[in-house]
Amino acid sequence: MKKSKILGSVGIASLAALTLVACGKSNDNNAEEVKKASKFPTDVPKKAVKQGGTVKLAIESDSPFTGIFASELSTTKTDSDVAEPGKESLFDVDDDYKINDKGPATLKINRKNNTVTITLKKGVKWSDGKQVTAKDMEFSYEILANKATKSQRYTASLQNIKGLKEYHEGKAKTISGIELPDGENGLTMVLHYTELKPGMYNSGNGYFSESAEPYHYLKDVPFSKLMSSDKIRKKPLYFGPYKLDKLVRGQSATWVPNKYYWRGKPKLDKIVCQVVSTNSTTQAIKSHKFDVAKVINSQWKQTKDAKGVNFIAKIPLSYSYLAFKVGKFDAKTSKNVMNPKSKMSNRSLRQAMAYAMNIDQVNKKYNSDLNFHIPTLIPAPFGDYFDKDAKGYNYNLKKANQILDKAGYKKKGKWRVQPNGKPLKIKFLGMAGSAVQEPIIQNYIQQWHKIGLNVSLYNGRLIEINSFYDKVQNDDPGVDMFMGSWSLSSEPSPADIYNEGAPFNFSRFVTPENTKLLNEIDSQKAFDHKYRVEKFHEWQEYMNKEAYVVPVNNSYEITAVNKKLTGYTLKPSHSNSIWYEVAYAK
């Protein structure tokens, strides 16, 4: 599925695809940081493998995981990480995330007929031994689109499938654009679209689901009870290399081999996913409590001398951001609606707050220079879609003050007032995280105080992640701005995070220009790569100017892997089969 898992916090760069930051002034930075990443390998050394053994996988989180084991319903990176040993996408990809024919299913795109055909391989079986079928693939769309499931992953992009919108609105009992030519127990599904899109060749494009759900197992569960069902929460079926054996709710999950796995017999006897707090991660790595653990970037100096581990790294498709609330999501129309009278609707105010952030200093002090300031909302790993000439918001207090003065935010005593003379109090929602989270956020609040803005923490403290996203998603009226992070899909279109119908458009901004640019990025013309690149650059420039959402950081994502293990890699081409490949060396 497309775009985005919502995640972690502001100071830690890792697990929850969190926040990040860097040092240096200019945005040439970004290219430099990408180069520097090559100092870390992406794979552990290849060695001869032996069968058996238990691997302990660290799930770094300061909250219990929710344990929603269905990708159509899950929204957090933590849940995805816990499900990793069992979860497998329908498609394998190459290192540029282009879908190939090596995975559980193959893809055929017919531009003439506006169809996408997905065909399962025979022998791809659920962990109960049943073959994955065309109906299981169709069922994924029913879960996404049926309002009763309350899935947050239903998007405007999916509505390009004929009949999906009617099904979503309850006007049709089936999705007319989904054809199963060999019947429900066949292996082929044909999707009929109003039009095809240029991103469809890449995984993570959002125009079709890349997962299936076991219809034979879940069909008796009402859609409204699916998310809370034991069949999703305690005893899920997957067609990946491992199956869930034991679950300690919110704390650990034990996986054992799926004896029906289509690629062959997995190498390990057991994988144990265990929650560990971000503040305990370094000690856990050093004491070998885990065999695989992400490094918390703010703790790199304390971690880098750990014995018996290989450190591998990548720059992930993720970023942290600052967002300003300027509207609400209307559940009836499934659209974001802007409020032109909202406190943060003045562009000058948003721009000034962005210029006041001393991001590079923060990165240097708290994150071992492994986080770096980014200039746009399209990360550098997306290649030429990333606008390397974008200026972004570099620290400039003088400019911040000038912008506020010019916009009529006059000082009245210590604080500035609104242009209409009324007091201005801004409530900032901050997420709890690692030990550096509180000082980082307090630092930014102090920076805003320096330009005369009365910014304070919502409820006077940082909020736990699940409660944080509950307030953000439900548009808590007491929240004016917040900092969050995205883990992005591997197709760069930003539509499913920032368009009018996107529930994930947490800022709730909707403008004709934004809609136009997003439509152009995914238009028929955009099958021409040069045109699509041009429109991506225009969108980045527009978003920087408007500053509804301000890019903050990306980072290295470093993983510590037990030296006794082989087969562990961060290459996209192995992401679907990684737990089949990981083994102990002879």
Side-chain angles (χ1 to χ4, degrees), residues 502-517:
F504 286 132
N505 179 356
F506 293 144
S507 188
R508 310 304 183 203
F509 76 94
V510 182
T511 65
E513 180 67 10
N514 182 55
T515 300
K516 174 178 163 283
L517 286 167

Side-chain angles (χ1 to χ4, degrees), residues 489-540:
S489 84
S490 41
E491 206 296 302
S493 169
D496 279 354
I497 307 181
Y498 295 116
N499 72 21
E500 184 182 22
F504 286 132
N505 179 356
F506 293 144
S507 188
R508 310 304 183 203
F509 76 94
V510 182
T511 65
E513 180 67 10
N514 182 55
T515 300
K516 174 178 163 283
L517 286 167
L518 290 176
N519 287 342
E520 286 171 343
I521 281 170
D522 293 328
S523 66
Q524 296 303 293
K525 271 191 182 176
F527 276 99
D528 174 346
H529 182 71
K530 191 181 170 192
Y531 173 88
R532 197 171 194 227
V533 166
E534 198 179 289
K535 292 301 169 184
F536 262 99
H537 289 193
E538 281 180 34
W539 181 78
Q540 287 164 79

Side-chain angles (χ1 to χ4, degrees), residues 394-411:
N394 291 313
Y395 181 45
N396 193 331
L397 271 190
K398 187 180 174 186
K399 197 166 186 176
N401 277 311
Q402 285 172 347
I403 289 170
L404 290 173
D405 291 342
K406 194 175 174 186
Y409 288 89
K410 303 268 190 284
K411 271 201 173 177

Side-chain angles (χ1 to χ4, degrees), residues 30-31 33-35 37 95-97 202 314-319 372 374-388 488-492 540 553-557 572:
N30 230 34
E33 299 298 341
V34 173
K35 274 187 212 162
D95 283 333
D96 293 319
Y97 302 102
N202 266 37
K314 66 176 180 177
I315 292 181
L317 296 175
S318 64
Y319 59 81
F372 51 96
I374 53 168
T376 91
L377 297 172
I378 299 294
F382 280 132
D384 51 4
Y385 292 122
F386 161 69
D387 183 359
K388 64 181 188 301
L488 303 173
S489 84
S490 41
E491 206 296 302
Q540 287 164 79
N553 294 299
N554 200 344
S555 72
Y556 301 112
E557 187 174 276

Side-chain angles (χ1 to χ4, degrees), residues 16-216:
L18 319 208
T19 84
L20 336 124
V21 228
C23 62
K25 236 180 173 184
S26 85
N27 302 312
D28 297 338
N29 235 13
N30 230 34
E32 284 306 307
E33 299 298 341
V34 173
K35 274 187 212 162
K36 222 197 287 176
S38 62
K39 288 182 181 175
F40 291 101
T42 52
D43 321 76
V44 300
K46 283 192 168 61
K47 295 175 184 172
V49 307
K50 64 180 182 184
Q51 199 70 31
T54 296
V55 162
K56 291 187 175 174
L57 178 62
I59 305 295
E60 288 134 63
S61 176
D62 295 307
S63 305
F65 59 83
T66 47
I68 300 171
F69 294 111
S71 55
E72 296 82 1
L73 302 173
S74 168
T75 54
T76 68
K77 177 93 166 41
T78 314
D79 276 1
S80 291
D81 290 346
V82 175
E84 221 177 61
K87 183 183 64 176
E88 190 160 291
S89 164
L90 289 172
F91 308 109
D92 281 14
V93 299
D94 64 17
D95 283 333
D96 293 319
Y97 302 102
K98 194 173 179 188
I99 292 168
N100 60 35
D101 288 346
K102 295 177 182 177
T106 59
L107 179 78
K108 278 191 181 155
I109 293 171
N110 188 324
R111 286 183 65 189
K112 190 179 164 190
N113 296 338
N114 282 340
T115 60
V116 168
T117 301
I118 300 172
T119 306
L120 288 155
K121 289 177 180 168
K122 199 167 183 187
V124 176
K125 293 180 178 179
W126 295 107
S127 45
D128 66 354
K130 294 272 199 313
Q131 166 74 39
V132 182
T133 65
K135 179 61 192 178
D136 297 335
M137 293 194 289
E138 180 185 44
F139 192 43
S140 177
Y141 295 87
E142 292 172 351
I143 294 171
L144 286 164
N146 193 300
K147 278 191 175 174
T149 67
K150 295 187 165 62
S151 171
Q152 300 236 8
R153 293 196 170 275
Y154 177 79
T155 65
S157 296
L158 286 168
Q159 286 184 180
N160 284 287
I161 297 169
K162 289 180 179 177
L164 198 74
K165 188 168 185 268
E166 289 75 9
Y167 177 81
H168 179 64
E169 290 169 353
K171 294 173 183 171
K173 289 190 174 171
T174 57
I175 303 162
S176 61
I178 298 183
E179 179 194 350
L180 309 181
D182 305 322
E184 291 191 352
N185 293 321
L187 302 178
T188 301
M189 174 178 71
V190 181
L191 301 171
H192 295 264
Y193 286 85
T194 50
E195 63 173 4
L196 298 189
K197 297 290 185 175
M200 285 179 166
Y201 296 94
N202 266 37
S203 169
N205 61 68
Y207 295 105
F208 47 80
S209 170
E210 295 179 36
S211 58
E213 294 298 340
Y215 180 71
H216 70 279

Side-chain angles (χ1 to χ4, degrees), residues 245-472:
D245 184 46
K246 286 182 195 151
L247 184 73
V248 178
R249 186 165 279 193
Q251 295 304 316
S252 71
T254 302
W255 301 82
V256 296
N258 168 13
K259 65 181 179 183
Y260 303 104
Y261 183 53
W262 70 281
R263 290 186 212 258
K265 188 180 180 185
K267 317 293 187 291
L268 301 166
D269 292 331
K270 203 181 281 183
I271 299 169
V272 181
C273 301
Q274 174 79 45
V275 168
V276 59
S277 80
T278 53
N279 293 330
S280 306
T281 303
T282 294
Q283 197 47 48
I285 291 170
K286 286 184 152 181
S287 62
H288 303 118
K289 187 177 176 185
F290 295 99
D291 300 296
V292 179
K294 300 252 172 64
V295 174
I296 304 295
N297 283 6
S298 59
Q299 298 168 20
W300 172 242
K301 283 174 186 164
Q302 294 81 41
T303 314
K304 64 181 181 181
D305 299 325
K307 303 283 186 285
V309 300
N310 287 308
F311 290 110
I312 59 175
K314 66 176 180 177
I315 292 181
L317 296 175
S318 64
Y319 59 81
S320 62
Y321 62 89
L322 176 72
F324 300 96
K325 279 282 190 184
V326 291
K328 288 184 176 178
F329 187 74
D330 185 339
K332 283 182 185 170
T333 61
S334 295
K335 285 182 179 178
N336 294 289
V337 181
M338 266 178 91
N339 172 13
K341 292 182 180 174
S342 71
K343 203 182 290 181
M344 310 312 292
S345 65
N346 190 311
R347 181 170 72 192
S348 297
L349 176 61
R350 301 191 299 268
Q351 288 179 338
M353 294 188 81
Y355 277 121
M357 294 174 77
N358 56 341
I359 294 167
D360 294 333
Q361 291 172 12
V362 165
N363 291 334
K364 202 160 195 176
K365 182 170 182 179
Y366 294 109
N367 290 303
S368 307
D369 279 351
L370 292 166
N371 294 355
F372 51 96
H373 188 186
I374 53 168
T376 91
L377 297 172
I378 299 294
F382 280 132
D384 51 4
Y385 292 122
F386 161 69
D387 183 359
K388 64 181 188 301
D389 298 321
K391 295 287 177 279
Y393 285 89
N394 291 313
Y395 181 45
N396 193 331
L397 271 190
K398 187 180 174 186
K399 197 166 186 176
N401 277 311
Q402 285 172 347
I403 289 170
L404 290 173
D405 291 342
K406 194 175 174 186
Y409 288 89
K410 303 268 190 284
K411 271 201 173 177
K412 214 173 185 181
K414 186 179 178 182
W415 305 120
R416 292 179 184 269
V417 294
Q418 296 178 60
N420 61 12
K422 290 181 179 176
L424 177 61
K425 287 183 180 178
I426 299 168
K427 290 292 180 187
F428 176 81
L429 184 69
M431 189 195 304
S434 74
V436 300
Q437 188 78 337
E438 181 97 35
I440 286 174
I441 286 177
Q442 289 299 345
N443 160 82
Y444 289 134
I445 289 174
Q446 289 306 313
Q447 289 299 118
W448 294 319
H449 287 178
K450 284 180 187 174
I451 56 171
L453 294 176
N454 185 0
V455 181
S456 60
L457 275 177
Y458 174 95
N459 280 356
R461 59 187 171 83
L462 300 186
I463 308 285
E464 176 272 332
I465 183 172
N466 296 317
S467 176
F468 175 94
Y469 276 112
D470 181 63
K471 292 182 191 313
V472 168

